Amino acid sequence: MNATTAATLPVPPSKPLGLLDWLTSTNHKQIGTLYIVTTLGFFGLSGLMAMLIRADLTVPNNPWLGRQLYAEMFTLHGTAMIFLVIAPFALGIANYILPLQVGAPDMAYPRLNALSYWLFLLGGLVVMSGLLTRDGAAAAGWYAYAPLSTTGAAGTGQDLWAVGLLMVLASSTMTAINLIATTVLYRAPGMLMWRLPIFVWDMIVTSMLILMAFPPLAATLAGMLIDRLLGGHLFDPSHGGSAVLYQHMFWFFGHPEVYVMVLPYFGIVTEIIAVFSRKPVFGYTGFVLSTLAIAGLSMSVWAHHMFTTGAVLNPFFSAMSFAIAVPTGIKYVNWIGTMWRGAIIPSTAMLFSVGFLLNFLLGGVTGVMIASPPIDYWANATYFLVAHFHYVLGGGSMFAALAAVYYWFPKITGVTLRETWGRLNFWLIFIGFNATFWPMHWLGLWGMQRRTVTYPDLPHWGTLNLISSVGAAVMFVGVLVFLWNLWVSLRWRVPAGDNPWDGFTLEWATTSPPPEFNFERLPPIRSERPVWDFHHPATSAP
Amino acid sequence: MPGGAGATLQAESIHRLLFIFLLATIFVGGTTYFLIFWNLIKYRRKDDRVPPQFRGQHLIESVCIGTAVAIVLVLFVFSNDVEKFVDLDRPNALVRIRITGFQWSWRFEYLGGGPVITGTPASPPTLVLPIGETVHFEITSADVVHSFFIPEFYFKRMAIPGYTSGFDLNVVHPGVYRGVCGEFCGLDHAYMNFSVSAQSQTAFAAWLARERPARARAP
């Protein structure tokens, strides 16, 4: 393999893609782009629902949104963010970036990949289509406890919710198979498993979690549909079914799902922090092993969501949940160690990654608190819990997702995003996010339970909720700045070049955007940083 | 530190536990935040020199793993100790109350021939409890999953249809406390409230005598 001109080969310009090309493409880059754009669309929709929720809660004793609409909004907000934004955005980034990072021309099964995307889009639309039915969308919360969701008032929207999610689950399962197969079978010569970029490792482990955790949810949803449509009583205690069983089955999926929603983002920030510290990842092997440990432990902590049922062996699930804090905490050693003695470049992507570090830490330590059953008796189902998981998924995953957009935008579009708008975007979202969710810790410990359309005028409750709603508005402006930045950068193009960040991994060895089958030539792969080694031979791998 | 020391013996121990966890959080969080900001400031890129390209440091990694394991072990021991007390379940207590959640109110049945109190969203029921006495509860639901939550007791327990679980409370301070439903249970979830009136043992005995024989309040 001749690598002397690898990074600068001229590539003939490809003709712009038409609508038919997008609809029929099996190329991983088009499918990845479709995924990313679609999840940004669902992010906007779901964000607007969050704005309605915050507007409703701005002042006490003012349930102007109405009980039914409020329940639909928090149900769809949670469902969409979890199933249609955070998890599939990572799958979209992986679709685009993972084949490039392992040096492959495409995914292992391109047509299966196209099926995954279109099934995902259809499933998302089916979930949302409940809004068009006469009795409204699903309104039983995103975990839809039986028997509230299987009997009684829940209408057609609940059926559409379950059917749509089944499609999304099937889609994610196929993508997980595809990502594993691509990594195992299509790695370029020299790309040993222990030279895979951390992001690829994290996607492998995420895919394994998807394969283990999503079938149980599919079974749960099938059970829900059997109860609702075929007169079954699986989860209906009045006919011998079990409501506790539903919770077990749901959370057996639900906790691994949390790691499906954070592991890819661990990978993303690890890549970004290393590149913008101009140093290799600190403790690569430990990072990979701790990711595997998280995956293993995450299969054995599900009932910590059920501490307050009185139906599970709390000390066991508590101990396992404490244990999972160790490999998660180790990541911080990797991240801080990577910055240590580096040459840190504070780009927007790096700012969002640092924002991830700061926010996710808070979500992590509150997670350790509620891993203690007595504290969970206090905090569970209150706004303390709402604050906790928003710090994990919003302050964590969402910040990492925005970092990913700023980092890989040049590779995908050929142009960089504006750094000035990027900084404004970061600060608005960072300040807005913390103003929204920090006060909820107090509200929760003072006993404000979640999912109520309104709340009494107790001391300070109105003030803290007002701060929270103002914070949400600031975040909303931050998102508008983000969209403006996308528009400005695409309209008035500043060419990025092939390797604007002095990157490490193979996607930076090809053109921006890459040609149809990705690479004309590859640099030699002798470490986990082939492109860095190529450009900095004096400092290359041992 | 939010909230007072708690209104029950159980709440007092949970409150102490949260304090220990907050100390650990401040230690771990403070150290991590300090290291992040210190690195960001000290190692900001100044020139084009390539920084040292080391790939790890086994001693640092091992010490950090050891510290993390030690911290969570200690926290688990504290937590488990408190849980053993909070989870005490003594069905032979003198005062026993059966709680039934339903859409959207509560029914409190004083076992052993005591009164039955049933509320509605419009007229929330009052749960009368003696102080300085172990009260045993068993809880279930008549329809969907609810959660019996008294914020000032720092305690909640799900009411699950087809399943009954038990717990104990020892109220320390007399007073009136707010009770709510902690698990989303349908349209009127926000209005499924009740109040708790904790009284001295003599006042409680007098109330119990007045309310006997068992009779249901409205509706």
Side-chain angles (χ1 to χ4, degrees):
Chain A
M1 197 176 300
N2 178 3
T4 46
T5 54
T8 51
L9 264 183
V11 173
S14 51
K15 66 179 174 59
L17 296 165
L19 180 64
L20 196 63
D21 297 313
W22 284 105
L23 289 177
T24 58
S25 176
T26 58
N27 186 292
H28 75 100
K29 293 183 289 296
Q30 272 89 62
I31 293 172
T33 310
L34 286 171
Y35 256 110
I36 293 166
V37 172
T38 307
T39 52
L40 286 179
F42 281 125
F43 174 73
L45 191 60
S46 174
L48 288 175
M49 292 175 182
M51 296 306 295
L52 281 178
I53 294 171
R54 278 319 318 166
D56 178 272
L57 295 173
T58 306
V59 292
N61 295 317
N62 182 31
W64 66 268
L65 202 55
R67 297 167 304 171
Q68 174 67 24
L69 191 57
Y70 184 84
E72 288 174 27
M73 289 301 105
F74 74 67
T75 300
L76 289 186
H77 167 73
T79 305
M81 283 295 186
I82 286 163
F83 291 100
L84 309 179
V85 180
I86 300 173
F89 176 86
L91 295 179
I93 289 282
N95 238 302
Y96 200 109
I97 298 297
L98 184 138
L100 287 164
Q101 286 196 333
V102 301
D106 202 327
M107 293 278 269
Y109 312 116
R111 275 178 288 185
L112 188 72
N113 201 20
L115 177 62
S116 288
Y117 168 72
W118 292 103
L119 201 55
F120 159 69
L121 176 66
L122 188 63
L125 293 176
V126 168
V127 169
M128 290 295 172
S129 68
L131 286 168
L132 307 175
T133 62
R134 195 184 312 152
D135 40 6
W142 84 272
Y143 48 75
Y145 275 172
L148 180 66
S149 60
T150 53
T151 55
T156 318
Q158 194 66 43
D159 299 322
L160 292 167
W161 181 87
V163 171
L165 286 189
L166 277 172
M167 294 180 190
V168 173
L169 294 179
S171 147
S172 306
T173 309
M174 291 188 290
T175 302
I177 292 168
N178 223 335
L179 290 172
I180 292 177
T182 306
T183 312
V184 172
L185 303 175
Y186 280 61
R187 276 171 291 136
M191 182 59 83
L192 311 178
M193 287 302 273
W194 288 105
R195 290 177 186 167
L196 287 176
I198 289 287
F199 175 67
V200 176
W201 265 115
D202 277 21
M203 285 316 302
I204 293 281
V205 179
T206 301
S207 301
M208 287 171 6
L209 278 179
I210 288 176
L211 294 182
M212 289 188 284
F214 282 27
L217 180 65
T220 316
L221 296 176
M224 177 187 285
L225 287 171
I226 288 170
D227 274 14
R228 292 181 55 79
L229 302 175
L230 305 178
H233 302 289
L234 288 165
F235 305 125
D236 174 12
S238 61
H239 291 76
S242 169
V244 179
L245 175 68
Y246 179 92
Q247 297 192 18
H248 275 296
M249 289 179 70
F250 188 89
W251 292 117
F252 190 75
F253 146 82
H255 204 81
E257 165 72 357
V258 172
Y259 289 94
V260 169
M261 289 188 287
V262 299
L263 289 183
Y265 297 99
F266 282 0
I268 288 168
V269 296
T270 309
E271 299 280 320
I272 292 174
I273 288 173
V275 165
F276 290 107
S277 302
R278 296 168 62 75
K279 265 183 57 203
V281 173
F282 182 90
Y284 174 100
T285 314
F287 195 101
V288 173
L289 293 179
S290 65
T291 305
L292 286 164
I294 289 175
L297 287 169
S298 79
M299 299 303 294
S300 60
V301 298
W302 77 89
H304 70 206
H305 298 266
M306 300 165 64
F307 282 158
T308 64
T309 57
V312 294
L313 185 63
N314 288 358
F316 172 78
F317 290 101
S318 170
M320 298 311 278
S321 308
F322 278 119
I324 208 169
V326 174
T328 312
I330 296 312
K331 305 282 186 211
Y332 272 85
V333 180
N334 300 119
W335 292 322
I336 294 173
T338 305
M339 294 194 289
W340 181 44
R341 299 174 63 196
I344 299 169
I345 304 165
S347 64
T348 305
M350 183 67 181
L351 281 183
F352 273 109
S353 300
V354 172
F356 166 93
L357 294 184
L358 301 178
N359 294 331
F360 188 83
L361 183 68
L362 202 58
V365 293
T366 52
V368 174
M369 289 184 190
I370 52 180
S372 160
I375 296 177
D376 189 66
Y377 296 164
W378 182 351
N380 184 32
T382 69
Y383 270 84
F384 188 87
L385 198 88
V386 176
H388 158 69
F389 66 72
H390 279 94
Y391 267 92
V392 171
L393 297 176
S397 302
M398 179 184 76
F399 273 68
L402 288 165
V405 172
Y406 276 90
Y407 181 62
W408 278 307
F409 197 80
K411 182 50 62 186
I412 295 173
T413 63
V415 299
T416 39
L417 287 164
R418 299 285 195 276
E419 281 289 301
T420 318
W421 287 114
R423 265 145 226 280
L424 182 65
N425 174 7
F426 168 75
W427 285 109
L428 284 172
I429 292 194
F430 186 75
I431 293 168
F433 176 85
N434 280 287
T436 308
F437 294 105
W438 178 257
M440 290 184 186
H441 291 109
W442 266 267
L443 284 168
L445 292 182
W446 286 338
M448 180 168 171
Q449 78 271 40
R450 62 194 287 217
R451 296 179 166 174
T452 57
V453 64
T454 188
Y455 53 93
D457 192 8
L458 295 169
H460 308 303
W461 282 31
T463 319
L464 288 182
N465 273 291
L466 182 64
I467 293 172
S468 182
S469 294
V470 171
V474 173
M475 237 197 304
F476 182 74
V477 176
V479 173
L480 292 183
V481 170
F482 172 67
L483 295 176
W484 170 251
N485 199 357
L486 294 182
W487 161 252
V488 169
S489 306
L490 287 171
R491 178 72 183 74
W492 293 279
R493 301 168 72 87
V494 180
D498 296 347
N499 186 10
W501 314 122
D502 201 1
F504 295 172
T505 41
L506 287 177
E507 75 269 32
W508 306 109
T510 183
T511 55
S512 303
E516 190 174 1
F517 293 108
N518 293 348
F519 299 99
E520 301 286 324
R521 284 205 180 81
L522 284 167
I525 300 164
R526 295 289 176 270
S527 80
E528 82 283 13
R529 301 192 301 163
V531 177
W532 170 276
D533 294 342
F534 180 74
H535 290 293
H536 303 268
T539 64
S540 65
Chain B
M1 183 91 189
T8 62
L9 290 180
Q10 287 80 2
E12 285 173 356
S13 64
I14 294 176
H15 194 261
R16 274 195 300 275
L17 183 64
L18 183 69
F19 184 71
I20 292 167
F21 272 69
L22 276 181
L23 287 183
T25 296
I26 290 167
F27 171 71
V28 173
T31 312
T32 314
Y33 277 155
F34 170 78
L35 288 173
I36 291 171
F37 285 116
W38 182 76
N39 277 292
L40 282 176
I41 294 165
K42 182 155 173 25
Y43 296 111
R44 192 164 165 161
R45 185 185 191 184
K46 294 170 193 82
D47 48 45
D48 271 347
R49 261 179 302 179
V50 175
Q53 299 293 303
F54 59 98
R55 285 179 147 71
Q57 226 279 16
H58 287 307
L59 183 66
I60 294 181
E61 290 170 63
S62 315
V63 168
C64 290
I65 293 174
T67 314
V69 170
I71 291 175
V72 300
L73 265 180
V74 170
L75 287 179
F76 177 74
V77 169
F78 277 116
S79 160
N80 202 43
D81 209 37
V82 171
E83 183 176 10
K84 273 188 216 153
F85 171 62
V86 174
D87 278 355
L88 279 181
D89 185 3
R90 292 162 285 194
N92 54 353
L94 285 176
V95 183
R96 290 170 298 133
I97 302 171
R98 184 174 175 82
I99 305 168
T100 309
F102 58 91
Q103 287 173 316
W104 285 277
S105 194
W106 302 91
R107 201 171 85 104
F108 304 121
E109 182 184 355
Y110 290 75
L111 296 177
V116 178
I117 298 164
T118 307
T120 67
S123 72
T126 299
L127 175 65
V128 181
L129 298 177
I131 61 167
E133 173 97 69
T134 299
V135 182
H136 178 74
F137 295 86
E138 45 189 73
I139 181 165
T140 189
S141 165
D143 38 45
V144 302
V145 178
H146 304 278
S147 181
F148 174 85
F149 179 25
I150 305 170
E152 283 161 284
F153 289 7
Y154 307 150
F155 186 82
K156 68 177 67 68
R157 175 63 63 85
M158 277 188 199
I160 302 173
Y163 182 81
T164 303
S165 69
F167 61 92
D168 290 351
L169 292 175
N170 295 69
V171 189
V172 178
H173 303 293
V176 176
Y177 304 99
R178 205 170 68 92
V180 297
C181 176
E183 192 63 52
F184 182 71
C185 55
L187 283 184
D188 272 337
H189 164 61
Y191 305 100
M192 192 172 154
N193 301 325
F194 60 98
S195 58
V196 178
S197 167
Q199 306 177 353
S200 68
Q201 291 183 19
T202 43
F204 175 76
W207 174 84
L208 210 54
R210 259 201 322 279
E211 295 291 321
R212 248 185 249 267
R215 61 180 170 82
R217 254 194 232 165

